[in-house]
Structure formats: structure tokens, C-alpha cells
Amino acid sequence: MYDIIVIGAGPAGAAAAKTLAENGCRVLLAEKCRIPRYKSCSGQLIQKSLNLVERYFGEPVPSHTTCSPAENRGMVFTDDTGHTYVFPQPGLNVWRSSFDAWLTKKAAAAGAVVQDALNAVSCTAQDEAVLVRFRRADGSLYDERAEYVIDCEGVAGVIKRQLTGTVPDGITTYQTFHHGRIDLDPHYFYAYLQPELSEYDAWFNVKDGMLVLGVSVKNKEKESYYYDSFLSYMKKHHGLSVGKPERVDRWLMPRIKPGCAICYGIGRVLFAGEAAGFLNPMGEGISAGLESAYSAAQAVLKHRGDTEGIYSSYREGTAALHDYMKRQWSLVGGMAKTFSEMKQP
Ligand SMILES: Cc1cc2nc3c(=O)[nH]c(=O)nc-3n(C[C@H](O)[C@H](O)[C@H](O)COP(=O)(O)OP(=O)(O)OC[C@H]3O[C@@H](n4cnc5c(N)ncnc54)[C@H](O)[C@@H]3O)c2cc1C
């Protein structure tokens, strides 16, 4: 029996597993994919993410996880009237496969048992523990028990869906990678909030010389309409010239609603990262994942055996993050009609 099972080896899962293992807990970190696994992401690490990595993982993000240009100098937002805002700040441009694999390696070095190709399919309360059923890559099932589970499955988690009986309300993201040309500085991440270009936002960034263009939509059927509009806009305003995409990917993002509700967990299963609903706008999903999962792990370390104490400590530990999240969404809500419901009075 493990003390804690952490589900999902993204930034949240790796941060929780590392924190618990280095404090003497027997930890299993289970990841359903083979590591390194692909995660659709712009891979922009803002200053806050870099600081959290140094604080929780004890060293700076290594250069082997970055792609070119490695340096990110900030974000450029175009609001729905076409006005541009530049938010300069130092950051890094990483491939999530390499970055997350490095975080997971650090969790393993701290003593966590890391198993990939291990899919958690259910969590059941059992006496003073949780029984987690896993499916291996060959289809066989096996069970593990732990005192607590920290579920860091990301947006499309099956465990959260089972325990809460809710289907996540997601936004579809669609992005394509191209060789080509554009007259924008590749060191910045660009977001476009005009309602004619996407139902939420459209974006552009550069990874290893490839031009990445993406749109997010509520309604998947409108994906190609918005994507074509965005490409035409980039051609007209920034001289975009691209051929057929080298890669296409589609993903889900949690749809954050006014109030930014967080689901901290059910019984002995805590949720962290996107699984809990932590997601900041302006490229801050990674920092929110790291910070929330670290707080969940700290709460378990401080109050093991006292589930209520764990929840109040977890809420308290993430109160500042939650307030910040509301402020950031309100800021974006004030800039664009696509997010206007997020604007706080
Ligand atoms: C297109 C796009 C661009 C983005 N760009 C940025 C950006 O530039 N900067 C930024 O900070 N954020 C960005 N984000 C947000 C960021 O990717 C997420 O917020 C972040 O990855 C959340 O971390 P997490 O650890 O909670 O979940 P994830 O990173 O999603 O990790 C969850 C892990 O759990 C595993 N898993 C799922 N179910 C199971 C299961 N049942 N059993 C075992 N394992 C399981 C998954 O395979 C995955 O490895 C972007 C998101 C998208 C979609």
C-alpha cells in the first residue's frame, strides 16, 4: 500500500509527487501515456512558472527542454477593437513532452515510484483508504490502495467525472504547425481576442522554427470557419505565408466560468491543477498546476489522517492563487467581448 497515489504526470502531478516523496511519503505517480508524452500546449513558461520550478524542484528549467527561440520576452494581446497591449516579461519556450518528462524525473529522484502506461480507471473509498483500479497497456487490470489520492488528470479526467457525476465543460483548442514566414518577432506569444477570429481567443507563436496558429471554440463545428478567418487576418496584417501544416492538434481546455469555481476533491481524493479547475488566462496553466498541486501535497503532509484539516489547509494554501485567478480573468474580461462574462464588478 502506498501512502499517496498521484494520478497524472503533468506539472501538477509531478509537483505533488516530488513534494510528498521528499518528505518521506511512499508515493506512486501513475501516468496513462508513455513518458515523454505529448501535450498540446504553447509551452510558454512565464516568470512565475520559472520561479515555482526553482522553488519546488530545486533548480532552473534545463535548456534541453526548450525549443527555439528558447527565450520568451512576453505576451502581446490584441483586444476586440484591434488595440494592441504588450506585456513584457522574461520567460522560456519549452516542449511540454521534454519539460514534463524532466519534472517527472525529478519526482522519481525524490523517491516517487513512477509508472507510465498506467491508466487510473476508478477510485473507490475503502475503510480509511482509497482503492484505485488501473488498466495497464495490455488491458489487464490491477488495484492499489493508498491513504489519499491526488488526482492531477488534467481537463478530461475520468476519475473526477465519476466521483462528481459531472462532465467537464471544455473549450476545444485547434492549432497547426507550419514552415513559412511572418513579420512578427518570434520571441513573443501573441493572443487575438477579436470575436470574428475565435469564440475565445486565437494565438500565434514559434516553436523550433515552426509557425503555430491556433483558435479556441465552444462549438467544434465552427472550428474551420474561425481558423480560416484567423489565417486570412494574419496574412493581411502580418504577411503570413505558410504551406500545408506539418502537424495539427486538437485539445480541450477547461471553460472557466464567472467566480472561477474550484473543486478541491471528494473524500480522500483531492483534485489539483486543471482537474480542480485551476487555470489562469495569459499562458498560466502551468504555474496554476504547479502551485495548486504543491498546496494539496503540503496540506496532506500537515494534516494526514484529518481529512477536514486537509481541505481547509488546501483552500487556505490556494486562496491567493484563487484570488489572482479571478483578477486575471477579470482583466481579460475587460479587454474582450469573448470573455466579458468574466469581468468582475
Ligand atoms: C493549446 C494550449 C496551449 C496552452 N499554452 C499554455 C502556455 O503556453 N503556458 C501555460 O502555462 N499553460 C498553457 N496551457 C495550459 C496548460 O497546458 C495546462 O493548464 C497544464 O498542462 C495543466 O497541468 P496539469 O498538470 O493540471 O494537467 P496536464 O498537463 O494535462 O497533465 C495531466 C496528465 O494526466 C494524465 N492522465 C489523464 N488521465 C489519466 C488517468 N486516468 N490515469 C493516469 N494518467 C492520466 C495525462 O496523460 C497527463 O499527462 C495551454 C493549454 C492548451 C490546450
Coordinates of all heavy atoms in Angstrom, one line a residue, residues 42-86:
S42 N 1.2 25.7 -25.8 CA 2.1 26.7 -26.4 C 3.5 26.6 -25.8 O 4.5 27.1 -26.3 CB 1.5 28.1 -26.3 OG 0.2 28.1 -26.9
G43 N 3.5 26.0 -24.6 CA 4.8 25.8 -23.9 C 5.5 27.1 -23.5 O 6.7 27.1 -23.4
Q44 N 4.7 28.1 -23.1 CA 5.3 29.4 -22.6 C 5.4 29.3 -21.1 O 4.4 29.2 -20.4 CB 4.5 30.6 -23.1 CG 4.1 30.7 -24.5 CD 5.4 30.8 -25.4 OE1 6.2 31.6 -25.2 NE2 5.5 29.9 -26.4
L45 N 6.6 29.4 -20.6 CA 6.8 29.4 -19.1 C 7.0 30.9 -18.8 O 8.1 31.4 -19.1 CB 8.0 28.6 -18.7 CG 7.9 27.1 -19.0 CD1 9.2 26.4 -18.5 CD2 6.7 26.5 -18.3
I46 N 6.0 31.5 -18.1 CA 6.2 32.8 -17.6 C 7.1 32.9 -16.4 O 7.4 31.8 -15.9 CB 4.8 33.5 -17.3 CG1 4.1 32.6 -16.2 CG2 3.9 33.6 -18.5 CD1 2.9 33.3 -15.6
Q47 N 7.5 34.1 -16.0 CA 8.4 34.2 -14.9 C 7.9 33.5 -13.7 O 8.7 32.8 -12.9 CB 8.6 35.7 -14.6 CG 9.6 36.0 -13.5 CD 11.0 35.7 -13.9 OE1 11.6 36.2 -14.8 NE2 11.7 34.7 -13.2
K48 N 6.6 33.5 -13.4 CA 6.1 32.8 -12.2 C 6.3 31.3 -12.3 O 6.7 30.7 -11.3 CB 4.6 33.1 -12.1 CG 4.0 32.6 -10.9 CD 2.5 33.0 -10.7 CE 1.9 32.4 -9.5 NZ 0.5 32.5 -9.4
S49 N 6.1 30.7 -13.5 CA 6.3 29.3 -13.6 C 7.8 29.0 -13.4 O 8.1 28.0 -12.7 CB 6.0 28.8 -15.1 OG 4.6 29.1 -15.3
L50 N 8.7 29.8 -13.9 CA 10.1 29.6 -13.7 C 10.5 29.6 -12.2 O 11.2 28.8 -11.7 CB 11.0 30.6 -14.5 CG 10.8 30.6 -16.0 CD1 11.6 31.7 -16.7 CD2 11.2 29.3 -16.6
N51 N 9.9 30.6 -11.5 CA 10.2 30.7 -10.1 C 9.7 29.5 -9.3 O 10.3 29.0 -8.4 CB 9.5 32.0 -9.5 CG 10.1 33.3 -10.1 OD1 11.2 33.2 -10.7 ND2 9.5 34.4 -9.9
L52 N 8.5 29.1 -9.7 CA 7.9 27.9 -9.0 C 8.7 26.7 -9.2 O 8.9 25.9 -8.3 CB 6.4 27.7 -9.4 CG 5.4 28.8 -8.9 CD1 4.0 28.5 -9.5 CD2 5.4 28.9 -7.4
V53 N 9.2 26.5 -10.5 CA 10.0 25.3 -10.8 C 11.3 25.3 -9.9 O 11.6 24.3 -9.3 CB 10.4 25.2 -12.3 CG1 11.5 24.2 -12.5 CG2 9.1 24.9 -13.1
E54 N 11.9 26.5 -9.8 CA 13.1 26.6 -9.0 C 12.8 26.3 -7.5 O 13.6 25.6 -6.8 CB 13.8 28.0 -9.1 CG 14.5 28.1 -10.4 CD 15.8 29.0 -10.2 OE1 16.6 28.9 -9.3 OE2 15.9 29.9 -11.1
R55 N 11.7 26.8 -7.1 CA 11.3 26.6 -5.6 C 11.0 25.2 -5.3 O 11.4 24.6 -4.4 CB 10.1 27.5 -5.3 CG 9.9 27.7 -3.9 CD 8.9 28.8 -3.6 NE 8.1 28.4 -2.5 CZ 6.8 28.7 -2.3 NH1 6.2 29.4 -3.2 NH2 6.1 28.2 -1.3
Y56 N 10.2 24.6 -6.2 CA 9.7 23.2 -5.9 C 10.6 22.1 -6.3 O 10.7 21.0 -5.8 CB 8.3 22.9 -6.5 CG 7.2 23.9 -6.2 CD1 6.1 24.0 -7.1 CD2 7.2 24.6 -5.0 CE1 5.1 24.9 -6.7 CE2 6.1 25.5 -4.7 CZ 5.1 25.6 -5.6 OH 4.1 26.5 -5.3
F57 N 11.4 22.4 -7.4 CA 12.2 21.3 -8.0 C 13.7 21.6 -7.8 O 14.6 20.7 -8.2 CB 11.9 21.1 -9.5 CG 10.5 20.6 -9.7 CD1 9.4 21.4 -9.7 CD2 10.4 19.2 -9.9 CE1 8.1 20.8 -9.9 CE2 9.1 18.6 -10.0 CZ 8.0 19.5 -10.0
G58 N 14.0 22.7 -7.1 CA 15.4 22.9 -6.7 C 16.4 23.4 -7.7 O 17.6 23.5 -7.4
E59 N 16.0 23.5 -9.0 CA 16.9 24.0 -10.0 C 16.2 24.7 -11.1 O 15.0 24.4 -11.3 CB 17.8 22.9 -10.5 CG 17.1 21.7 -11.0 CD 18.1 20.6 -11.4 OE1 18.7 20.7 -12.5 OE2 18.2 19.6 -10.7
P60 N 16.9 25.5 -11.9 CA 16.2 26.1 -13.0 C 15.8 25.1 -14.1 O 16.3 24.0 -14.2 CB 17.2 27.1 -13.6 CG 18.4 27.0 -12.8 CD 18.3 25.9 -11.8
V61 N 14.9 25.5 -15.0 CA 14.4 24.7 -16.1 C 15.6 24.4 -17.0 O 16.3 25.4 -17.5 CB 13.3 25.4 -16.9 CG1 12.9 24.6 -18.1 CG2 12.1 25.6 -16.0
P62 N 16.0 23.2 -17.3 CA 17.2 22.9 -18.1 C 17.0 23.2 -19.6 O 15.9 23.2 -20.1 CB 17.4 21.4 -17.9 CG 16.1 20.9 -17.5 CD 15.3 22.0 -16.9
S63 N 18.1 23.6 -20.2 CA 18.0 24.0 -21.6 C 17.5 22.9 -22.6 O 17.0 23.2 -23.6 CB 19.3 24.6 -22.1 OG 20.3 23.6 -22.0
H64 N 17.7 21.6 -22.2 CA 17.3 20.5 -23.1 C 15.8 20.4 -23.3 O 15.3 19.8 -24.2 CB 17.9 19.2 -22.7 CG 17.2 18.5 -21.6 ND1 17.6 18.6 -20.3 CD2 16.0 17.8 -21.5 CE1 16.8 17.9 -19.5 NE2 15.8 17.4 -20.2
T65 N 15.0 21.2 -22.4 CA 13.6 21.1 -22.5 C 13.0 22.2 -23.4 O 11.9 22.3 -23.8 CB 12.9 21.3 -21.2 OG1 13.2 22.6 -20.6 CG2 13.4 20.2 -20.2
T66 N 13.9 23.2 -23.8 CA 13.4 24.3 -24.6 C 13.4 24.1 -26.1 O 14.1 23.2 -26.6 CB 14.3 25.6 -24.3 OG1 15.6 25.3 -24.7 CG2 14.3 26.0 -22.8
C67 N 12.7 24.9 -26.8 CA 12.7 24.9 -28.2 C 13.1 26.3 -28.7 O 13.1 27.3 -27.9 CB 11.4 24.5 -28.8 SG 10.0 25.3 -28.2
S68 N 13.4 26.5 -30.0 CA 13.9 27.7 -30.5 C 12.7 28.6 -30.9 O 11.8 28.2 -31.6 CB 14.9 27.4 -31.6 OG 15.0 28.5 -32.4
P69 N 12.7 30.0 -30.6 CA 13.7 30.6 -29.7 C 13.4 30.3 -28.3 O 12.2 30.3 -27.8 CB 13.4 32.1 -30.0 CG 12.0 32.2 -30.4 CD 11.7 30.9 -31.1
A70 N 14.4 29.9 -27.5 CA 14.3 29.5 -26.1 C 13.7 30.6 -25.3 O 13.0 30.4 -24.3 CB 15.6 29.0 -25.6
E71 N 14.1 31.8 -25.6 CA 13.7 33.0 -24.8 C 12.3 33.5 -25.2 O 12.1 33.8 -26.4 CB 14.7 34.1 -25.0 CG 14.6 35.3 -24.1 CD 15.4 36.4 -24.6 OE1 16.3 36.3 -25.5 OE2 15.2 37.5 -24.1
N72 N 11.4 33.6 -24.2 CA 10.2 34.3 -24.4 C 10.2 35.6 -23.7 O 10.5 35.7 -22.6 CB 9.0 33.4 -23.9 CG 7.7 34.2 -24.0 OD1 7.3 34.9 -23.1 ND2 7.0 34.1 -25.1
R73 N 9.9 36.7 -24.5 CA 10.0 38.0 -23.9 C 8.7 38.6 -23.4 O 8.7 39.8 -23.0 CB 10.7 39.0 -24.9 CG 12.1 38.5 -25.2 CD 12.8 39.4 -26.2 NE 14.1 38.8 -26.6 CZ 14.8 39.0 -27.7 NH1 14.3 39.8 -28.6 NH2 15.9 38.4 -28.0
G74 N 7.6 37.9 -23.6 CA 6.4 38.4 -23.1 C 5.2 38.1 -24.0 O 5.3 37.2 -24.9
M75 N 4.1 38.7 -23.7 CA 2.8 38.4 -24.5 C 2.4 39.7 -25.1 O 2.5 40.8 -24.6 CB 1.7 38.0 -23.5 CG 2.1 37.0 -22.5 SD 1.3 35.5 -22.7 CE 2.4 34.4 -21.8
V76 N 1.8 39.6 -26.3 CA 1.2 40.7 -27.0 C -0.3 40.4 -27.2 O -0.6 39.3 -27.8 CB 1.9 40.9 -28.3 CG1 1.2 42.1 -29.1 CG2 3.4 41.1 -28.2
F77 N -1.2 41.2 -26.6 CA -2.6 41.0 -26.7 C -3.2 42.0 -27.7 O -3.0 43.2 -27.5 CB -3.3 41.1 -25.4 CG -3.3 39.8 -24.6 CD1 -2.1 39.2 -24.3 CD2 -4.5 39.3 -24.1 CE1 -2.1 38.0 -23.6 CE2 -4.4 38.1 -23.3 CZ -3.3 37.5 -23.1
T78 N -4.1 41.5 -28.6 CA -4.9 42.5 -29.4 C -6.3 42.3 -29.0 O -6.9 41.2 -29.0 CB -4.7 42.1 -30.9 OG1 -3.3 42.1 -31.2 CG2 -5.4 43.1 -31.8
D79 N -6.9 43.4 -28.5 CA -8.3 43.3 -28.0 C -9.3 43.4 -29.1 O -8.9 43.4 -30.3 CB -8.5 44.4 -26.9 CG -8.7 45.8 -27.5 OD1 -8.7 46.0 -28.7 OD2 -8.8 46.8 -26.7
D80 N -10.6 43.4 -28.8 CA -11.6 43.2 -29.8 C -11.8 44.5 -30.7 O -12.4 44.5 -31.7 CB -12.9 42.8 -29.2 CG -13.3 43.5 -28.0 OD1 -12.7 44.5 -27.7 OD2 -14.3 43.1 -27.3
T81 N -11.1 45.6 -30.3 CA -11.1 46.8 -31.1 C -9.9 46.9 -32.0 O -9.7 47.8 -32.7 CB -11.2 48.1 -30.3 OG1 -10.0 48.2 -29.5 CG2 -12.4 48.1 -29.3
G82 N -9.0 45.9 -31.8 CA -7.8 45.9 -32.6 C -6.6 46.6 -31.9 O -5.5 46.7 -32.4
H83 N -6.9 47.1 -30.7 CA -5.8 47.7 -29.9 C -4.8 46.7 -29.4 O -5.2 45.6 -28.9 CB -6.4 48.5 -28.8 CG -5.4 49.4 -28.0 ND1 -5.0 50.6 -28.5 CD2 -4.7 49.1 -26.9 CE1 -4.1 51.1 -27.6 NE2 -3.9 50.2 -26.7
T84 N -3.5 47.0 -29.4 CA -2.5 46.0 -29.0 C -1.9 46.4 -27.7 O -1.5 47.6 -27.5 CB -1.4 45.9 -30.1 OG1 -2.0 45.4 -31.2 CG2 -0.3 45.0 -29.7
Y85 N -1.8 45.5 -26.8 CA -1.1 45.7 -25.5 C 0.1 44.7 -25.4 O -0.1 43.5 -25.6 CB -2.1 45.3 -24.3 CG -3.4 46.0 -24.3 CD1 -4.4 45.6 -25.1 CD2 -3.5 47.1 -23.4 CE1 -5.7 46.3 -25.1 CE2 -4.8 47.8 -23.4 CZ -5.8 47.4 -24.2 OH -7.0 48.0 -24.2
V86 N 1.2 45.3 -25.0 CA 2.4 44.4 -24.8 C 2.7 44.2 -23.3 O 2.7 45.2 -22.6 CB 3.6 45.1 -25.5 CG1 4.9 44.1 -25.4 CG2 3.4 45.4 -27.0

